[in-house]
Amino acid sequence: MVLEMESMATAIGVSVPVLRFLLCFVATIPVSFAWRFMPGPAAKHLYAAASGAFLSYLSFGATSNLLFIFPMTFGYTSMLLLRRYAGIFTFFAGFAYLVSCHVYYMSGDAWKDGGIDATGALMVLILKVISCAINYSDGLLNDESLTESQKKNRLVHRPTAIEYIGYCLCCGSHFAGPVYEMKEYLEWTEGEGVSAIWSSPKGKSSPSPYRAMFRAIVQAAICMGIYLYLVPHFPLTRFNEPAYNQWGFWKRLFYQYMSGFTARWKYYFIWSISEASIIISGLGFSGWSDSFPPISLWHRAKNVDIFGVELATSAVQLPLVWNIQVSTWLRHCEFLQLS
């Protein structure tokens, strides 16, 4: 088995730890599909928590789940004891913990040496924890003092411990996102809100996730193919080679552009797999289009618009098309909270 992993890793030009992460990441698709067949909300919460923890263990080792315990515990404890200030405390404690973990584990050096750690997944998990705490604090406020997004996402009642853990670790979605709200997770699990249209379409045919999932998988395969083709020609390591400094201005400028262009396809691949996973679970369903006949929409699963990124005409457009759900998180949990 070890020899097979090594040969597979060599074939695609990655280390064994990175290959193990990629295999677990792709496994989130069948894991998320199986979630739909769990009997009842309680079983779904347990399955979400257990499958997320197990995939973390396989990807990063036993220490990964220990790494996740502190922010999850701090966030839930702050909701128990300091509801009004839970969002503020969780925000500062969560990001302080994330920064310290990045420094301690030296994530950049680990990737350069062919290793991998759980700090990337930790970032997504901390965003979820902060979001949940902020929304629970908003549950104390009057409607007049809330924005539309706050009204939509606020939590009047504190989630149970198993709901909270399931939300944080759901089916491996903490690997690379997308980030979503606790209210969306609960509605999805209990078949309420937008998710109610899934089970009771009321005149519309029940939306099928398979076509959208297949499109995301094909997109992921194309992105990986482009990355594997380009990366031998434009590796980032060439910036440290003496030959690079001897090139002329225009050749260096071209190489800088192409190396950045090449690196982006790796992220497009990751987010496309994540999109397929969220779509097949049903969480990605965001309603119906206004067209006739209506088309099912899956915006909650989308984290990148490839053409939007590559054809962007200004930096202002990039937050709307790159890491979309984190940009939405920043807008709802930070900018609108402070305004």
Side-chain angles (χ1 to χ4, degrees):
M1 183 65 180
V2 174
L3 293 176
E4 291 178 0
M5 290 281 288
E6 290 179 352
S7 61
M8 288 177 61
T10 302
I12 63 175
V14 299
S15 64
V16 172
V18 172
L19 175 62
R20 188 166 55 245
F21 166 77
L22 290 175
L23 291 176
C24 289
F25 193 71
V26 172
T28 61
I29 297 177
V31 167
S32 297
F33 178 70
W35 176 95
R36 295 168 57 183
F37 300 99
M38 294 298 108
K44 290 179 177 178
H45 295 311
L46 284 170
Y47 176 80
S51 61
F54 183 64
L55 288 173
S56 295
Y57 169 76
L58 293 178
S59 299
F60 310 114
T63 57
S64 62
N65 290 313
L66 296 176
L67 199 66
F68 299 154
I69 287 175
F70 175 78
M72 291 169 62
T73 302
F74 184 88
Y76 199 74
T77 303
S78 67
M79 290 192 291
L80 277 171
L81 304 178
L82 300 166
R83 180 176 183 180
R84 184 174 297 276
Y85 305 104
I88 296 174
F89 276 103
T90 306
F91 175 86
F92 285 105
F95 276 109
Y97 180 70
L98 178 63
V99 170
S100 65
C101 287
H102 273 297
V103 173
Y104 179 79
Y105 288 101
M106 295 298 290
S107 303
D109 291 342
W111 277 92
K112 291 176 185 177
D113 296 335
I116 191 171
D117 60 48
T119 52
L122 179 65
M123 180 190 70
V124 177
L125 183 139
I126 285 177
L127 295 184
K128 288 184 177 182
V129 169
I130 294 171
S131 173
C132 184
I134 288 176
N135 292 333
Y136 187 55
S137 295
D138 287 344
L140 292 172
L141 304 178
N142 297 323
D143 287 353
E144 295 76 16
S145 58
L146 297 174
T147 65
E148 288 303 316
S149 64
Q150 287 176 302
K151 293 177 184 178
K152 175 185 174 183
N153 298 319
R154 68 176 176 173
L155 299 170
V156 178
H157 303 290
R158 186 181 68 251
T160 65
I162 190 58
E163 289 174 342
Y164 177 75
I165 298 172
Y167 164 70
C168 289
L169 300 178
C170 181
C171 305
S173 64
H174 61 295
F175 279 168
V179 178
Y180 46 84
E181 304 290 348
M182 171 63 89
K183 188 77 170 289
E184 293 175 331
Y185 170 77
L186 292 175
E187 289 179 344
W188 168 56
T189 305
E190 297 166 7
E192 299 177 353
V194 174
S195 298
I197 305 175
W198 182 283
S199 55
S200 301
K202 295 181 180 179
K204 299 183 179 71
S205 59
S206 181
S208 171
Y210 301 112
R211 182 175 180 179
M213 180 203 66
F214 181 73
R215 179 200 58 77
I217 291 176
V218 170
Q219 177 177 287
I222 293 172
C223 292
M224 177 54 73
I226 293 174
Y227 175 74
L228 292 176
Y229 175 77
L230 290 176
V231 72
H233 303 287
F234 304 100
L236 295 174
T237 54
R238 190 157 296 162
F239 288 110
N240 297 323
E241 297 176 2
Y244 172 78
N245 295 319
Q246 298 175 2
W247 292 348
F249 171 79
W250 291 110
K251 187 174 182 179
R252 281 188 289 176
L253 182 63
F254 173 75
Y255 192 86
Q256 290 169 11
Y257 171 79
M258 287 303 300
S259 61
F261 175 77
T262 300
R264 287 197 294 274
W265 291 97
K266 175 174 59 178
Y267 296 98
Y268 296 154
F269 164 77
I270 289 292
W271 283 329
S272 297
I273 290 294
S274 180
E275 182 177 348
S277 174
I278 299 299
I279 287 173
I280 196 61
S281 71
L283 176 59
F285 180 61
S286 56
W288 298 87
S289 69
D290 295 328
S291 61
F292 183 82
I295 300 172
S296 58
L297 304 175
W298 304 90
H299 295 157
R300 288 197 298 198
K302 196 173 185 65
N303 216 18
V304 68
D305 178 351
I306 297 175
F307 287 106
V309 173
E310 298 303 329
L311 301 177
T313 57
S314 71
V316 177
Q317 297 177 359
L318 289 177
L320 302 177
V321 291
W322 174 271
N323 211 356
I324 296 171
Q325 302 304 330
V326 171
S327 298
T328 302
W329 182 92
L330 287 170
R331 184 165 63 252
H332 289 172
C333 292
E334 300 307 319
F335 301 146
L336 294 179
Q337 288 281 343
L338 296 175
S339 62

